[in-house]
């Protein structure tokens, strides 16, 4: 088994797989090392599937817009899997004047970036989605947002990259980055294996912090345990992606007919775990109560599965997507803070451009690794 | 378990079989052929098969097909079924209505 | 949050047994079960159990369930039914669905006794209505009083397939064939023999080619398979059936344990994924124990003992007894468990080809291949003897852990000895009084009373009979041999029913003298 | 042929609830109150509980203990109800389920 490649990607999540795919397409030899036993085992397979622009920080919004314009529409064909991409809009719902205020702020900032998003009132919300309760008094509406299936998308990138020759190894947990003659070169794993490349992409989610630390780079991020749930299949109701100003739930109805909803109990970041992303006993119930306020009609929908996942929450809640000048050869793509899935195709494609062509179509400067400064 | 799994290792070509249209996952109506094909697409773990095809993600949550899927994947990979890590179990163990799941009771002593 | 000393999930044989032991030591115990009735699978088991007298042998499964439940109530165990444990979380917290609410409880100790689920096999048409699990058949007929079908093919010759086939006939269904891909019968020979003698053909090294029918099963085709389980062309056989019953093994239902984070292993000898646990059933999470099928597929008798071990271990864990008391109790229970794990069907012997009994007698090949002992094989077993006048013939030919017959005989003419798996032998120095207690006591229905010198040219055979309607005295019908083949005319000369026989009726039929070692079942005209 | 077991050699006469009327796809049937819907349907000779979503194939009772979820039907308007573990009530409306709804897909 070859232990050298042009590029080593650390992390077999959607970011790592997409990056591997676009790099391979550009003719690079790529080796992907995934620490867990499964491809896409972190946030990639645990998120709510949003492919949104609205509600995003202006620093990452251009990536979202770029992906939705250029990559998502043809992704299923390109990857030869059904990514279940739907572009039927995003409603971010509000129930109180305070909520509307939050939504207005988000909307104003997005409009300034050129996004087609506007505030609508409760009646208009219910014209778009007649199942919503009267508690909803308004929403931000972005018609070009949508959702996709994170599982098939992640595994689709993996499948296609693998088919094109990218080399994936799972169960190979990276523990150290090492220099050779002063230049970053080696990746050392817990199994004692050493792999070599001139370019190393660190896309290992939360684990990225410890790995980057071995080469003297720190990315300020922490874990927060998020939970999600899915219902049995229901007759087709709506196609929009949903979120709320209060962030009490988000989600959509899948092609399969089930509803995938994420949410929170308010104790995220403080929940304890047992070393695996285990659900807490109180969150799923809380998410259900949250959803029923918006969708009383779903009260009889049966939950068949709940799960949890850690997000890699960056200090300023946007990712680090950046070359590291002080460690030539190191490229960071981590800290996606719970909203990396929708921008993953754009991130993968732009990283490939950055690595191979030395330039990008989207300005990634605001997402640099060295942006973190003390407040005064 | 975290054992090294080289996803580029050769597992032979996908050879169509007479019973490829046999239904395996009764809930999601996934066939043996789809499962075998997925293995050749690189889905080497039961968790990946589940996420890729939805086997065991239906109403019964894999209570009927888990062992069947395991056997098929193991044979395709040329390993013993016991070597394949079963998928994670997830609450609730039985489908539960939102209005019920949302109604928590914490009795006092 | 409400906290118990001990929460038990599953009110089957192991869960109830665990609860009883723990409550006796003073623990506050609750048992949750998702079903409307407690007892797990016990209430579907209408046959008499094997084992030793101390461990409920010759008692029917559902009665064991009733006894356990009574014992649990007496010990103060709280049993909550229609209570589905939907999840197990950190800090030994569980969530239970009770009617339309989710209740949170914590236990200082938890015993998971969720039992097993059925394995399935696939064949074209296996999703058609009419293809059902053997457990479904038992549930329908023995709990709900509804026949699962009229003409039924059974796939699987393990104990479940054999026992359920017999139960199907007891409720009036016609079992047209018993099929297994394996080359030999998987379950106890005595269970097979009681099915075979009623005329059910056994097709070993056969499996289902396809189930037929549009909206539901109307027929089935089976065919012979070679050593590699591939169909042999030209061996297809068709049966008109409305139901196909699948009894192809069980898997531990260990999902809650995995969810809670217990270290698991995949152990084919235990039937699938089980938690790694110590000799007391304690898993990798301190205070979380397992008992019964969830920790490895065995019989209900073993499950009850495992439950008791886990119950006392939980009591020790919570400081209700000391190490010495624990050791004392467990040693005794483990001794009993060990005795149940002996014999040809012991877990350690799974997959082994056993050629001879412990006594050195060659195993009946015909029994393994066709479900009954051949005429030229039966005489070599110690329970089969000849003498003038009435005497027992015990067609017990495999070493299984069972000895009620020994205690049943008021004259002590049946000897098994210290080793519970030994084949029963007749003490020919003692005279049989023909009371029939041994016939009714044999869980395998393998004991017959014969009187080879009943009258000139005729003999009698007394056999266990658990079907309705009961024949009448004086009625004439047909005697069937061990294979179910009609061999001669038979006249019912006596019918004994007694409370002591517990629903096993004793039919005495008169047959020509030369048929005395052949005639083993009675078919009404 | 009679599917109810009137008298069982071991279990004797079955204890039953009150005989009640319920409706299967609009047709009045009788069953015992409290028994699983599936048992009442089986006794009435109904084999098909639903047709699947993708292949439109018939399904009925399979595990009978609430695990396999193959026997689900629309009960009083609610889809995906496990009929093998849901007790029968007087006047219940039980419908064949097509995919996840009460109407066959066109």
């Amino acid at each position: 088994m070859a232990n050298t490649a042009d590029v080593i990607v650390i992390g077999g999540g959607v970011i790592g797989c997409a990056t591997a795919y676009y790099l391979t397409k550009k003719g690079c030899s790529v080796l992907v090392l995934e620490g867990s036993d499964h491809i896409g085992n972190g946030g990639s397979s645990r998120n709510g599937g949003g492919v949104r622009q609205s509600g995003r920080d202006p620093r990452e919004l251009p990536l979202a817009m770029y992906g939705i314009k250029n990559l998502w529409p043809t992704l299923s064909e390109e990857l030869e899997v059904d990514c279940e991409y739907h572009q039927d809009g995003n409603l971010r719902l509000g129930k109180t004047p305070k909520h509307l205020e939050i939504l207005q702020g988000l909307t104003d900032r997005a409009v300034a970036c050129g996004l087609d998003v506007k505030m609508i009132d409760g009646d208009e919300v219910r014209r778009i989605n007649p199942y919503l309760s009267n508690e909803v008094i308004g929403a931000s509406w972005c018609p070009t947002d949508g959702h996709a299936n994170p599982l098939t998308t992640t595994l689709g990138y993996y499948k296609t990259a693998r088919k094109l020759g990218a080399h994936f190894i799972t169960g190979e947990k990276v523990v150290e980055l090492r220099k050779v003659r002063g230049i970053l070169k080696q990746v050392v794993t817990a199994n004692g294996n050493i792999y070599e490349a001139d370019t190393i992409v660190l896309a290992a989610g939360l684990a990225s912090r410890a790995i980057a630390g071995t080469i003297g780079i720190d990315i300020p991020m922490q874990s927060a345990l998020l939970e999600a749930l899915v219902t049995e299949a229901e007759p087709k109701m709506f196609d929009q992606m949903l979120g709320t100003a209060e962030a009490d739930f988000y989600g959509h109805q899948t092609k399969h007919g089930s509803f995938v909803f994420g949410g929170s109990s308010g104790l995220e970041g403080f929940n304890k775990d047992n070393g695996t992303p285990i659900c807490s006993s109180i969150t799923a119930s809380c998410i259900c109560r949250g959803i029923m306020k918006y969708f009383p009609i779903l009260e009889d929908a049966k939950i068949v599965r709940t799960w949890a996942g850690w997000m890699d929450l960056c200090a300023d809640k946007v990712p680090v997507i950046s070359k590291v000048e002080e460690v030539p050869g190191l490229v960071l793509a981590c800290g996606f803070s719970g909203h990396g899935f929708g921008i993953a195709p754009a991130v993968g494609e732009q990283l490939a451009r950055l690595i191979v062509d030395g330039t990008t179509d989207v300005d990634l400067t605001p997402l640099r690794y060295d942006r973190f400064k003390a407040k005064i | 378990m975290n054992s090294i799994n080289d996803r580029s290792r050769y597992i032979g070509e996908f050879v169509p079989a007479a019973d490829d249209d046999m239904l395996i996952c009764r809930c999601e109506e996934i066939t043996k052929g789809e499962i075998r094909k997925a293995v050749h697409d690189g889905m080497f773990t039961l968790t990946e098969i589940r996420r890729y095809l939805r086997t065991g993600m239906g109403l019964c949550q894999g209570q009927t097909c888990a062992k069947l899927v395991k056997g098929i994947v193991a044979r395709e990979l040329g390993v013993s079924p016991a070597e394949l890590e079963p998928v994670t179990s997830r609450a609730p163990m039985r489908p539960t209505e939102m209005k019920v799941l949302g109604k928590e009771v914490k009795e006092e002593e | 949050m409400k906290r118990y000393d001990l929460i038990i999930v599953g009110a089957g044989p192991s869960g109830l047994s665990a609860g009883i032991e723990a409550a006796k030591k003073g623990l506050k115990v609750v048992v949750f079960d998702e079903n409307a009735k407690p007892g797990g699978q016990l209430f579907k088991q209408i046959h008499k159990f094997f084992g030793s007298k101390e461990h409920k042998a010759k008692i029917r499964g559902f009665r064991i369930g009733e006894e356990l439940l009574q014992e649990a109530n007496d010990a103060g165990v709280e049993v909550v039914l229609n209570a589905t444990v939907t999840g197990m979380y950190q800090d030994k917290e569980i969530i239970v669905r009770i009617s339309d609410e989710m209740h949170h409880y914590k236990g200082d100790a938890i015993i998971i006794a969720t039992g097993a689920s059925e394995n399935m096999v696939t064949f074209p048409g296996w999703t058609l209505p009419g293809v059902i699990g053997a457990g479904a058949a038992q549930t329908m007929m023995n709990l709900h009083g509804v026949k699962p079908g009229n003409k039924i093919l059974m796939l699987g010759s393990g104990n479940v397939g054999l026992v359920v086939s017999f139960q199907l006939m007891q409720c009036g269904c016609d079992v047209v064939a018993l099929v297994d891909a394996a080359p030999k019968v998987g379950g106890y020979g005595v269970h097979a023999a009681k099915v075979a003698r009623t005329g059910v053909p056994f097709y070993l090294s056969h499996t289902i080619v396809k189930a037929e029918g549009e909206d539901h099963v109307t027929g089935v085709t089976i065919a012979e398979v070679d050593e590699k389980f591939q169909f042999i062309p030209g061996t297809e056989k068709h049966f008109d059936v409305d139901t196909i019953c699948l009894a192809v093994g069980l898997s531990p239902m260990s999902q809650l344990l995995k969810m809670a984070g217990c270290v698991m292993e995949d152990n084919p000898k235990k039937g699938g994924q089980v938690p790694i646990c110590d000799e007391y059933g304690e898993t990798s999470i301190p205070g979380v124990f397992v008992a019964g099928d969830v920790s490895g597929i065995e019989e209900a008798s073993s499950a009850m003992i495992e439950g008791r071990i886990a119950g006392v271990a939980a009591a020790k864990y919570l400081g209700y007894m000391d190490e010495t008391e624990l050791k004392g109790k467990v040693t005794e229970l483990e001794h009993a468990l060990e005795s149940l794990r002996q014999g040809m069907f012991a877990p350690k012997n799974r997959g082994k080809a056993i050629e001879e009994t412990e006594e050195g007698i060659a195993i009946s090949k015909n029994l393994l291949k066709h479900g009954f002992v051949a005429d030229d094989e039966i005489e070599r077993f110690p329970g089969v003897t000849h003498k003038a006048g009435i005497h027992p013939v015990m067609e017990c030919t495999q070493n299984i852990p069972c000895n009620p017959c020994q205690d049943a005989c008021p004259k002590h003419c049946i000897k098994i000895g210290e080793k519970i798996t030994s084949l029963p032998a007749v003490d020919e120095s003692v005279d049989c009084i023909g009371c029939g207690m041994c016939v009714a006591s044999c869980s395998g229905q393998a004991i017959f009373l014969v009187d080879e010198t009943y009258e000139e040219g005729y003999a009698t055979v007394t056999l266990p009979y658990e079907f309705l309607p009961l024949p009448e005295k004086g009625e004439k019908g047909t005697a069937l041999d061990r294979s179910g083949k009609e061999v001669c005319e038979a006249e019912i000369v006596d019918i004994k029913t007694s409370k002591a026989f517990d629903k096993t009726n004793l039919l005495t039929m008169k047959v020509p003298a030369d048929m005395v070692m052949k005639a083993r079942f009675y078919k009404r005209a | 042929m009679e599917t109810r077991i009137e008298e069982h050699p071991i279990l004797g006469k079955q204890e039953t609830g009150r005989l009640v009327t319920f409706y299967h796809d609009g047709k009045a049937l009788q069953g015992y109150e409290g028994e699983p819907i599936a048992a009442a349907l089986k006794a009435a000779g109904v084999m098909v509980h639903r047709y699947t979503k993708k292949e439109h194939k018939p399904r009925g009772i399979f595990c009978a203990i609430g695990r396999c979820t193959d026997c689900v039907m629309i009960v009083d308007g609610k889809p995906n109800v496990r009929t093998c573990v849901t007790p029968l009530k007087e006047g219940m409306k039980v419908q064949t389920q097509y995919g996840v709804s009460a109407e066959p897909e066109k």
Side-chain angles (χ1 to χ4, degrees), chain A residues 37-38 158 162 170, chain B residues 5-11 38-49 73 77 84:
Chain A
D37 285 327
H38 316 290
Y158 157 64
R162 177 178 171 272
T170 52
Chain B
N5 198 345
D6 179 355
R7 302 310 183 93
S8 300
R9 72 174 195 268
Y10 185 68
I11 57 162
V39 174
H40 289 271
D41 279 345
M43 311 307 148
F44 282 14
T45 70
L46 298 173
T47 298
E48 287 166 14
I49 293 281
V73 174
L77 287 171
L84 294 176

Side-chain angles (χ1 to χ4, degrees), chain B residues 23 25-31 34 53 58-61 63-64 93-95 97 99, chain D residues 50 52-57 59-62 65-70 72 78 80 82:
Chain B
L23 205 64
C25 171
R26 296 168 69 101
C27 297
E28 294 296 311
E29 301 180 80
I30 314 287
T31 64
E34 288 173 280
L53 294 176
L59 205 52
C60 94
Q61 290 292 297
Q63 306 226 35
T64 313
M93 298 308 297
R94 302 284 178 268
E97 296 83 350
K99 68 178 177 200
Chain D
R50 67 180 180 114
T52 61
K53 193 174 165 183
K54 273 199 213 166
E55 308 284 340
H56 314 290
K57 293 287 194 242
R59 296 285 172 85
I61 296 169
F62 189 54
I65 49 170
R67 301 219 175 103
C68 78
T69 67
D70 242 358
V72 298
K78 289 173 190 159
N80 288 343
R82 294 175 294 159

Side-chain angles (χ1 to χ4, degrees), chain A residues 7-202:
Chain A
V7 182
I8 290 175
V9 177
I10 302 170
V14 68
I15 300 292
C17 290
T19 306
Y21 167 72
Y22 292 108
L23 281 168
T24 311
K25 240 176 77 168
K26 282 179 167 290
C28 294
S29 67
V30 180
L31 175 63
V32 182
L33 302 175
E34 164 60 37
S36 81
D37 285 327
H38 316 290
I39 296 294
N41 205 32
S44 307
S45 59
R46 297 165 198 268
N47 68 82
V51 180
R52 296 178 289 106
Q53 305 151 105
S54 59
R56 284 194 189 264
D57 187 289
R59 288 172 288 173
E60 63 170 9
L61 183 55
L63 268 174
M65 291 171 71
Y66 175 88
I68 284 171
K69 182 157 179 267
N70 300 300
L71 300 169
W72 277 109
T74 55
L75 198 57
S76 292
E77 278 167 55
E78 191 169 351
L79 300 181
E80 293 175 341
V81 297
D82 189 355
C83 298
E84 299 174 21
Y85 176 56
H86 269 269
Q87 192 177 20
D88 295 283
N90 182 73
L91 283 168
R92 186 167 287 244
L93 309 167
K95 292 189 298 188
T96 65
K98 175 89 184 128
H99 290 163
L100 297 189
E101 229 173 87
I102 298 170
L103 294 172
Q104 189 67 55
L106 287 167
T107 302
D108 292 346
R109 266 170 277 155
V111 168
C113 292
L115 182 67
D116 172 18
V117 56
K118 63 176 180 185
M119 292 295 293
I120 57 175
D121 66 16
D123 290 342
E124 205 170 339
V125 172
R126 276 174 291 278
R127 265 198 293 280
I128 294 168
N129 188 324
Y131 304 99
L132 283 161
S133 76
N134 287 329
E135 278 196 41
V136 176
I137 59 167
S140 70
W141 169 239
C142 176
T144 54
D145 280 352
H147 54 76
N149 180 335
L151 311 177
T152 55
T153 305
T154 304
L155 292 168
Y157 270 121
Y158 157 64
K159 172 187 105 164
T160 316
R162 177 178 171 272
K163 204 163 94 180
L164 294 176
H167 189 174
F168 288 79
I169 303 173
T170 52
E172 189 69 306
K173 188 175 155 54
V174 172
V175 291
E176 189 186 352
L177 302 180
R178 259 187 219 160
K179 291 186 180 183
V180 174
R181 293 178 211 279
I183 296 168
L184 177 65
K185 185 86 177 171
Q186 293 185 332
V187 174
V188 185
T189 69
N191 295 310
N193 294 323
I194 296 174
Y195 300 90
E196 293 191 346
D198 290 336
T199 304
I200 295 166
V201 178
L202 187 52

Side-chain angles (χ1 to χ4, degrees), chain A residues 232-235 256 300 302, chain D residues 53 78-81 100-101:
Chain A
E232 63 196 325
E234 296 274 332
H256 165 258
D300 285 317
K302 297 180 203 77
Chain D
K53 193 174 165 183
K78 289 173 190 159
N80 288 343
V81 175
V100 290
S101 65

